[in-house]
């Protein structure tokens, strides 16, 4: 714990902090990045709040509920230095997702969640913006296109952070698509494709 500077934030403090950005935690499509995610002490409560929003907005349709729940999970990102913590974070998020859907670990929804989390929760160094192999961290941007289809585009974290910190003048001169260029774009996918 001391060697790596791990700090375990109590749940009540996490909830108080998340209440400061309550409207964002309740938006299904808002994206959250925890640069020192540990076992998911912040990310799991964010997912819980997003899933409550899914239930409130799409709970009457099992099809929409499942697809928007996966999209909520797709909008959560983490970086963790320690491999065991990164794995535990992925497991905790996948378990939260599967409990919400009421499905076991052997189905394609759970497998799709595991696939998403393997890309969204990275073992690496947030300060250096590198993964465990020393390569640049790449995160997928997931989009829900509707009718059971998702879009994935991958971006290097360093490109996103450097461009996001640029002056207002830069953003006035370019369109969004000219500023943020994905390193890879995938064809539209279904849950089965992702799984």
């Amino acid at each position: 714990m001391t060697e790596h500077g791990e700090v375990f934030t109590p749940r009540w403090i996490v909830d108080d902090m998340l209440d400061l950005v309550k409207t964002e935690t309740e938006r299904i499509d808002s994206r959250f990045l925890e640069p020192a995610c540990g076992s998911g002490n912040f990310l799991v409560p964010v997912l819980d709040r997003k899933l409550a929003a899914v239930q409130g907005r799409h709970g009457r349709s099992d099809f929409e509920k499942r697809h928007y729940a996966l999209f909520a999970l797709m909008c959560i990102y983490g970086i963790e230095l320690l491999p065991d913590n990164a794995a535990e974070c992925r497991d905790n998020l996948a378990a939260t997702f599967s409990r919400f859907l009421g499905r076991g670990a052997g189905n394609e929804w759970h497998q799709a969640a595991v696939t998403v989390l393997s890309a969204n929760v990275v073992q690496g160094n947030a300060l250096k913006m590198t993964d465990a192999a020393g390569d640049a961290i790449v995160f997928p941007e997931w989009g829900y296109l509707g009718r059971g289809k998702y879009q994935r585009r991958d971006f290097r974290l360093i490109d996103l952070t450097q461009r996001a910190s640029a002056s207002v003048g830069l953003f006035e001169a370019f369109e969004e698509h000219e500023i943020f260029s994905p390193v890879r774009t995938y064809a539209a996918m279904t849950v089965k494709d992702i799984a």
Side-chain angles (χ1 to χ4, degrees), residues 168-175 178-179:
V168 174
L170 176 65
F171 289 102
E172 289 176 353
F174 296 101
E175 297 293 324
E178 295 174 296
I179 297 172

PDB file of all heavy atoms in Angstrom, residues 168-175 178-179:
ATOM      1  N   VAL A 168      -8.338  28.128 -26.773  1.00  0.00           N
ATOM      2  CA  VAL A 168      -9.633  28.256 -27.435  1.00  0.00           C
ATOM      3  C   VAL A 168      -9.448  28.546 -28.918  1.00  0.00           C
ATOM      4  O   VAL A 168     -10.217  28.086 -29.750  1.00  0.00           O
ATOM      5  CB  VAL A 168     -10.484  29.356 -26.748  1.00  0.00           C
ATOM      6  CG1 VAL A 168     -11.775  29.593 -27.510  1.00  0.00           C
ATOM      7  CG2 VAL A 168     -10.775  28.951 -25.313  1.00  0.00           C
ATOM      8  N   GLY A 169      -8.405  29.282 -29.271  1.00  0.00           N
ATOM      9  CA  GLY A 169      -8.156  29.623 -30.663  1.00  0.00           C
ATOM     10  C   GLY A 169      -8.008  28.411 -31.559  1.00  0.00           C
ATOM     11  O   GLY A 169      -8.476  28.408 -32.693  1.00  0.00           O
ATOM     12  N   LEU A 170      -7.388  27.370 -31.070  1.00  0.00           N
ATOM     13  CA  LEU A 170      -7.228  26.159 -31.856  1.00  0.00           C
ATOM     14  C   LEU A 170      -8.583  25.559 -32.201  1.00  0.00           C
ATOM     15  O   LEU A 170      -8.834  25.149 -33.324  1.00  0.00           O
ATOM     16  CB  LEU A 170      -6.377  25.133 -31.100  1.00  0.00           C
ATOM     17  CG  LEU A 170      -6.211  23.763 -31.764  1.00  0.00           C
ATOM     18  CD1 LEU A 170      -5.433  23.899 -33.057  1.00  0.00           C
ATOM     19  CD2 LEU A 170      -5.517  22.806 -30.825  1.00  0.00           C
ATOM     20  N   PHE A 171      -9.491  25.539 -31.223  1.00  0.00           N
ATOM     21  CA  PHE A 171     -10.799  24.955 -31.463  1.00  0.00           C
ATOM     22  C   PHE A 171     -11.656  25.811 -32.371  1.00  0.00           C
ATOM     23  O   PHE A 171     -12.543  25.310 -33.038  1.00  0.00           O
ATOM     24  CB  PHE A 171     -11.517  24.688 -30.130  1.00  0.00           C
ATOM     25  CG  PHE A 171     -10.887  23.553 -29.368  1.00  0.00           C
ATOM     26  CD1 PHE A 171     -10.050  23.812 -28.305  1.00  0.00           C
ATOM     27  CD2 PHE A 171     -11.113  22.244 -29.733  1.00  0.00           C
ATOM     28  CE1 PHE A 171      -9.454  22.771 -27.617  1.00  0.00           C
ATOM     29  CE2 PHE A 171     -10.531  21.196 -29.052  1.00  0.00           C
ATOM     30  CZ  PHE A 171      -9.694  21.456 -27.986  1.00  0.00           C
ATOM     31  N   GLU A 172     -11.406  27.095 -32.401  1.00  0.00           N
ATOM     32  CA  GLU A 172     -12.161  27.962 -33.299  1.00  0.00           C
ATOM     33  C   GLU A 172     -11.732  27.752 -34.745  1.00  0.00           C
ATOM     34  O   GLU A 172     -12.512  27.935 -35.660  1.00  0.00           O
ATOM     35  CB  GLU A 172     -11.953  29.430 -32.914  1.00  0.00           C
ATOM     36  CG  GLU A 172     -12.640  29.799 -31.612  1.00  0.00           C
ATOM     37  CD  GLU A 172     -12.343  31.223 -31.203  1.00  0.00           C
ATOM     38  OE1 GLU A 172     -11.502  31.893 -31.847  1.00  0.00           O
ATOM     39  OE2 GLU A 172     -12.937  31.675 -30.223  1.00  0.00           O
ATOM     40  N   ALA A 173     -10.499  27.339 -34.960  1.00  0.00           N
ATOM     41  CA  ALA A 173      -9.959  27.230 -36.310  1.00  0.00           C
ATOM     42  C   ALA A 173     -10.284  25.896 -36.987  1.00  0.00           C
ATOM     43  O   ALA A 173     -10.210  25.790 -38.195  1.00  0.00           O
ATOM     44  CB  ALA A 173      -8.441  27.432 -36.282  1.00  0.00           C
ATOM     45  N   PHE A 174     -10.610  24.871 -36.198  1.00  0.00           N
ATOM     46  CA  PHE A 174     -10.820  23.544 -36.767  1.00  0.00           C
ATOM     47  C   PHE A 174     -12.156  22.963 -36.338  1.00  0.00           C
ATOM     48  O   PHE A 174     -12.676  23.276 -35.279  1.00  0.00           O
ATOM     49  CB  PHE A 174      -9.720  22.576 -36.289  1.00  0.00           C
ATOM     50  CG  PHE A 174      -8.352  22.957 -36.761  1.00  0.00           C
ATOM     51  CD1 PHE A 174      -7.470  23.610 -35.907  1.00  0.00           C
ATOM     52  CD2 PHE A 174      -7.927  22.668 -38.041  1.00  0.00           C
ATOM     53  CE1 PHE A 174      -6.205  23.966 -36.326  1.00  0.00           C
ATOM     54  CE2 PHE A 174      -6.660  23.016 -38.467  1.00  0.00           C
ATOM     55  CZ  PHE A 174      -5.799  23.670 -37.613  1.00  0.00           C
ATOM     56  N   GLU A 175     -12.678  22.093 -37.176  1.00  0.00           N
ATOM     57  CA  GLU A 175     -13.841  21.301 -36.806  1.00  0.00           C
ATOM     58  C   GLU A 175     -13.362  20.165 -35.912  1.00  0.00           C
ATOM     59  O   GLU A 175     -12.199  19.776 -35.956  1.00  0.00           O
ATOM     60  CB  GLU A 175     -14.510  20.728 -38.058  1.00  0.00           C
ATOM     61  CG  GLU A 175     -15.055  21.777 -38.994  1.00  0.00           C
ATOM     62  CD  GLU A 175     -16.219  22.533 -38.381  1.00  0.00           C
ATOM     63  OE1 GLU A 175     -17.024  21.922 -37.655  1.00  0.00           O
ATOM     64  OE2 GLU A 175     -16.308  23.755 -38.618  1.00  0.00           O
ATOM     65  N   GLU A 178     -11.384  17.365 -37.396  1.00  0.00           N
ATOM     66  CA  GLU A 178     -10.024  17.698 -37.810  1.00  0.00           C
ATOM     67  C   GLU A 178      -9.051  17.679 -36.631  1.00  0.00           C
ATOM     68  O   GLU A 178      -7.858  17.565 -36.817  1.00  0.00           O
ATOM     69  CB  GLU A 178     -10.002  19.086 -38.464  1.00  0.00           C
ATOM     70  CG  GLU A 178     -10.784  19.146 -39.756  1.00  0.00           C
ATOM     71  CD  GLU A 178     -10.854  20.552 -40.286  1.00  0.00           C
ATOM     72  OE1 GLU A 178     -11.453  21.414 -39.601  1.00  0.00           O
ATOM     73  OE2 GLU A 178     -10.297  20.784 -41.378  1.00  0.00           O
ATOM     74  N   ILE A 179      -9.571  17.818 -35.426  1.00  0.00           N
ATOM     75  CA  ILE A 179      -8.722  17.860 -34.239  1.00  0.00           C
ATOM     76  C   ILE A 179      -8.446  16.467 -33.706  1.00  0.00           C
ATOM     77  O   ILE A 179      -7.320  16.113 -33.415  1.00  0.00           O
ATOM     78  CB  ILE A 179      -9.381  18.723 -33.141  1.00  0.00           C
ATOM     79  CG1 ILE A 179      -9.515  20.152 -33.636  1.00  0.00           C
ATOM     80  CG2 ILE A 179      -8.572  18.671 -31.866  1.00  0.00           C
ATOM     81  CD1 ILE A 179     -10.311  21.030 -32.706  1.00  0.00           C
TER      82      ILE A 179
END
